[in-house]
Amino acid sequence: MITKVKVPAPFKHKKIGMIAGGTGITPMIQALHAILGEWPESQQSATEEVVLLYGSRNKDDILGGEMLDRWSALHAGQFKHVDVLSNEPTESDYSGERGFIDKDKIVKYLPPASLGDDVIIFVCGPPIMYQLLCGPRNEMEVTGILGELGYSSEQVYKF
């Protein structure tokens, strides 16, 4: 079994894409603290842009939503989060993305693989998310949608 143990902060990547499902938001919040926090210059990340795609069943299941909204407002232009709800009632007042995190949403919101060393994608969520998006957590190889989009094992970190 090959696993990546740690992503060193401060981050050297200019663009970070995050894909989280359910409680998989937890390591993303930790990484966001490292990126968006106020640190001495020597500890600041080089990250210019972070986009979080966060999948939940409905708006009541969004963990840390108020905090994510606040960070989006405080760090406009650097941080954006996009909730993707799979079971939100159609009569709801929710106007964001619906369905599942899929190829179209990844292409629409996340930095492309063509940015090379300037981009990294973090993934954390239920097993089905890994299966569809990037391959099993315990394998370095990137398969699934992220593999189809050209992301390499150096660009995808599976929490």
Side-chain angles (χ1 to χ4, degrees), residues 56-90:
S56 296
R57 289 189 178 120
N58 57 58
K59 64 183 179 181
D60 294 332
D61 288 343
I62 297 171
L63 301 174
E66 289 180 15
M67 177 178 52
L68 296 172
D69 289 340
R70 188 171 56 252
W71 282 348
S72 290
L74 288 172
H75 300 279
Q78 184 183 17
F79 173 62
K80 176 180 182 170
H81 83 279
V82 178
D83 295 315
V84 182
L85 305 182
S86 61
N87 292 321
E88 183 67 15
T90 53

Side-chain angles (χ1 to χ4, degrees), residues 123-146:
V123 180
C124 190
I128 189 69
M129 181 178 275
Y130 292 100
Q131 181 181 341
L132 296 172
L133 298 179
C134 61
R137 284 179 57 194
N138 61 346
E139 294 180 9
M140 294 283 291
E141 180 184 9
V142 177
T143 58
I145 294 170
L146 293 177

Side-chain angles (χ1 to χ4, degrees), residues 9 11 16-20 24-39 45 47 49-54 63-64 67-69 71-72 75 78-82 122 159:
F11 301 102
I16 297 178
M18 298 178 165
I19 304 173
I25 191 70
T26 305
M28 305 307 173
I29 288 173
Q30 292 172 331
L32 287 167
H33 277 291
I35 296 164
L36 303 175
E38 295 190 24
W39 306 99
S45 290
T47 307
E49 179 182 284
V50 183
V51 177
L52 165 65
L53 289 177
Y54 180 36
L63 301 174
M67 177 178 52
L68 296 172
D69 289 340
W71 282 348
S72 290
H75 300 279
Q78 184 183 17
F79 173 62
K80 176 180 182 170
H81 83 279
V82 178
F122 298 153
F159 284 92

